[in-house]
Amino acid sequence: METIAKPILLSGSSVSPLEVFYAADAALIGWNENCFDYLKRFEEAVCRTLGVKYAIATPSCTAALHLALLTIGVGPGDEVILPDSTWVASANPVAYTGATPVFVDVCEDDWTIDPEAVRRAVTPNTKAIIPVHLYGHPCKMDEINAIARECGLYVIEDAAESMGSLYHGRHTGALGDMGCFSFHGSKTVVMGEGGVFTTNDERLYARARFLGDQAKHPTIRFYNEEVGYKFRLSNLQAAFGLGQMERLEEIVAKKRQVFRWYQEELEGIGGLTLNPELPGIRNNFWMVTPVLGPEIPMDAAQVLSQMERRAVSPRPFFYPCTDLPIYQSRRREPTPVAHRLHERAFNLPSGAEMAREEVRYICAHLRQVLTGKERQNPVTGWLARREDFLRARDSFPGVEFVNPDFKTMNCEIVVEDVGQLTGKLLNRIHEKCGFRRLFIRQRLQPDGDCDGLRRLGFAEHQRTPLTQVGGAWIPLLLQPYGEAQAYEAVFSKTFP
């Protein structure tokens, strides 16, 4: 079975010109009296989208969880219950406070924290529960909240992976006393790094806002009566995040489409199941996660190894936290489901902008690994065009191919001297690499032109005004004033 030359990566975000525009605007004018503008807009967008009253943007979800625990006074001697199946960042903030994380098992049907195990774990020292909406599937929040009310506990949702997931029509992050999200570059909604704390409780919000901004005195400047924390997101990141939040439904729809493609391509493999989606739930399917049934004579580690050899970048299901050296002593009762999931499940590439051809390629190879049978040659569509290009590009020394797009078959080329370009060379690039349109960039003076490129069949595609700053040429993208000192012109040639 043919294998592609470059791996298909595990995750990938969906970014549009909207996020780029907001971020550029924040970079240009988001300072001084405007330094919190995008932060406020981002927090308002989170509240509006999730249906919560209050939101505080933070540097990470870990910071948001830490802030939530500090807000309710968790400290030494307290216990916090959380699932054994989760990324260690769910547990570490508990350790930061000096409290004790108590790990319990997860449910077979949705991989999230088991309410009955939670009930067994409650002691007089228990202060809070952290249900984790694992891989995007919401926890059984009605049952968790009922236990919390009965026992006088706080519920802090670790919603890091679940932006856009719904629990009986309500967004995660709006279901407990507090919620915490991640905008890490691998997540559904991204800003590189970042998080947000959410709540409907005015008292909790006020306390969290106070502690997260260095515990500033409300009336006396630079006078602090408590130890505070620097848990504020930057305005630049918030600008990017605002664009992502405004596109949330579009991005979630893309993620769910990718999951449906996996369902279709993997149908009929005995003993293989994918992520759950219980009645009343909308799973954002942050990660596509196959689980190997007992009839499949391989474990997850063996499948991961085989898929990596086939240029696919999968990853293991989270280790149970109690298997990690730092938390082994915290195991109070067995967690068989968490351990079985780690041994039998794994994550496949799940980027929001994945193409059907990529999913088909991955699934064809997974089918071969699990069954020894091929359904079809998996290298099709744009993946096949990429392979043809990788084999042909060495035939053109002196030509650099920049960001080739194998779906549209457009590519920018760079040569040391544009005067060396000939019609014959361009036609050879088209014939051997298959590109339908080639682009070339040239910096021009305000009255400059490129007659040589025009004679080769290039037409001006776009022109960006430039100004020189510190020896570098900078685009005048959003400034409403200033004279251009030069232009960056992009020329394109389309082949019949």
Side-chain angles (χ1 to χ4, degrees):
M1 183 177 286
E2 191 174 358
T3 303
I4 63 173
K6 291 186 177 181
I8 299 174
L9 301 180
L10 179 74
S11 59
S13 55
S14 173
V15 177
S16 77
L18 179 64
E19 294 90 324
V20 176
F21 174 81
Y22 283 161
D25 185 49
L28 286 169
I29 65 172
W31 310 99
N32 302 316
E33 69 273 16
N34 301 320
C35 66
F36 299 131
D37 287 1
Y38 276 104
L39 269 171
K40 293 175 182 175
R41 290 177 64 185
F42 171 73
E43 290 172 350
E44 289 167 357
V46 170
C47 290
R48 186 169 57 250
T49 300
L50 302 186
V52 295
K53 293 181 180 179
Y54 308 106
I56 301 173
T58 61
S60 66
C61 184
T62 305
L65 287 165
H66 191 186
L67 180 61
L69 293 164
L70 294 168
T71 296
I72 58 175
V74 171
D78 293 326
E79 295 177 351
V80 177
I81 300 170
L82 66 161
D84 208 9
S85 278
T86 186
W87 172 227
V88 73
S90 302
N92 285 345
V94 180
Y96 300 161
T97 68
T100 299
V102 176
F103 299 98
V104 300
D105 209 359
V106 295
C107 298
E108 289 272 11
D109 60 355
D110 65 2
W111 312 344
T112 69
I113 193 166
D114 182 347
E116 290 306 311
V118 170
R119 186 179 295 277
R120 291 194 301 271
V122 175
T123 74
N125 295 324
T126 305
K127 189 106 177 219
I129 307 166
I130 300 180
V132 180
H133 304 307
L134 195 72
Y135 296 126
H137 195 289
C139 301
K140 296 178 173 68
M141 291 304 297
D142 288 343
E143 297 174 52
I144 296 297
N145 285 331
I147 295 169
R149 286 192 299 269
E150 178 184 332
C151 300
L153 308 176
Y154 288 96
V155 175
I156 304 169
E157 294 175 73
D158 182 340
E161 303 162 6
S162 67
M163 180 61 78
S165 295
L166 302 178
Y167 178 81
H168 300 289
R170 298 175 62 198
H171 279 271
T172 58
L175 305 171
D177 295 296
M178 294 165 279
C180 303
F181 289 90
S182 171
F183 302 100
H184 181 268
S186 67
K187 296 298 189 292
T188 300
V189 170
V190 304
M191 56 175 74
E193 280 287 1
V196 71
F197 164 99
T198 60
T199 186
N200 284 308
D201 187 311
E202 184 177 7
R203 178 184 61 85
L204 293 176
Y205 167 72
R207 181 66 176 163
R209 181 69 81 179
F210 172 72
L211 288 174
D213 194 19
Q214 297 289 20
K216 294 177 182 176
H217 193 281
T219 58
I220 307 174
R221 294 184 67 188
F222 304 117
Y223 185 81
N224 305 74
E225 296 177 319
E226 293 186 53
V227 173
Y229 301 82
K230 187 66 170 178
F231 285 156
R232 178 183 285 163
L233 187 72
S234 76
N235 199 51
L236 280 168
Q237 289 170 284
F240 194 94
L242 174 63
Q244 288 274 285
M245 286 302 300
E246 291 180 357
R247 296 181 53 237
L248 176 61
E249 288 302 313
E250 172 196 344
I251 296 170
V252 170
K254 290 181 177 183
K255 296 283 284 188
R256 288 176 62 82
Q257 177 64 76
V258 169
F259 182 79
R260 285 194 294 272
W261 287 338
Y262 272 108
Q263 282 183 311
E264 293 167 8
E265 294 292 334
L266 294 174
E267 187 178 4
I269 299 180
L272 188 75
T273 57
L274 294 178
N275 308 56
E277 187 174 55
L278 298 186
I281 297 299
R282 181 178 80 171
N283 192 338
N284 72 2
F285 294 122
W286 172 55
M287 284 285 164
V288 176
T289 307
V291 182
L292 306 174
E295 58 268 56
I296 295 178
M298 305 179 74
D299 61 21
Q302 292 171 309
V303 175
L304 289 172
S305 175
Q306 290 291 327
M307 293 302 288
E308 286 168 354
R309 295 177 189 173
R310 290 161 167 80
V312 177
S313 296
R315 74 175 197 180
F317 200 97
F318 290 128
Y319 277 91
C321 289
T322 55
D323 274 4
L324 303 175
I326 51 177
Y327 292 124
Q328 280 179 348
S329 63
R330 303 304 183 189
R331 181 181 294 139
R332 292 190 178 176
E333 65 177 33
T335 53
V337 179
H339 281 78
R340 186 160 57 253
L341 285 169
H342 172 68
E343 293 165 0
R344 305 295 295 176
F346 54 94
N347 305 135
L348 290 173
S350 309
E353 296 292 350
M354 286 187 72
R356 183 67 183 258
E357 289 91 343
E358 292 173 295
V359 174
R360 184 174 294 123
Y361 171 88
I362 293 165
C363 292
H365 276 284
L366 181 58
R367 182 179 296 274
Q368 186 192 42
V369 168
L370 297 178
T371 69
K373 300 176 183 177
E374 292 187 33
R375 188 169 68 177
Q376 60 184 8
N377 186 336
V379 182
T380 61
W382 77 270
L383 284 172
R385 294 193 290 271
R386 184 177 76 169
E387 294 305 292
D388 291 341
F389 162 74
L390 291 173
R391 286 188 285 267
R393 64 180 175 179
D394 292 340
S395 303
F396 302 97
V399 178
E400 180 183 354
F401 297 90
V402 180
N403 296 325
D405 184 337
F406 300 103
K407 296 170 186 175
T408 63
M409 293 309 290
N410 295 336
C411 185
E412 178 183 344
I413 62 172
V414 176
V415 293
E416 290 186 8
D417 182 1
V418 174
Q420 296 176 345
L421 280 179
T422 64
K424 183 178 179 181
L425 174 61
L426 294 169
N427 286 329
R428 281 186 60 237
I429 292 174
H430 165 62
E431 291 167 3
K432 291 184 71 70
C433 299
F435 294 119
R436 301 188 185 102
R437 187 160 58 164
L438 296 176
F439 296 92
I440 288 182
R441 295 175 187 266
Q442 289 288 291
R443 189 166 68 241
L444 305 176
Q445 294 305 308
D447 57 351
D449 206 341
C450 261
D451 292 337
L453 288 175
R454 295 186 188 280
R455 284 194 294 271
L456 290 171
F458 283 88
E460 189 168 319
H461 182 72
Q462 69 180 37
R463 184 176 285 210
T464 303
L466 304 175
T467 187
Q468 201 165 31
V469 179
W473 290 98
I474 305 297
L476 289 168
L477 293 176
L478 298 173
Q479 290 182 240
Y481 55 85
E483 291 187 8
Q485 297 173 293
Y487 291 91
E488 180 184 68
V490 178
F491 294 84
S492 67
K493 176 180 174 66
T494 302
F495 293 88

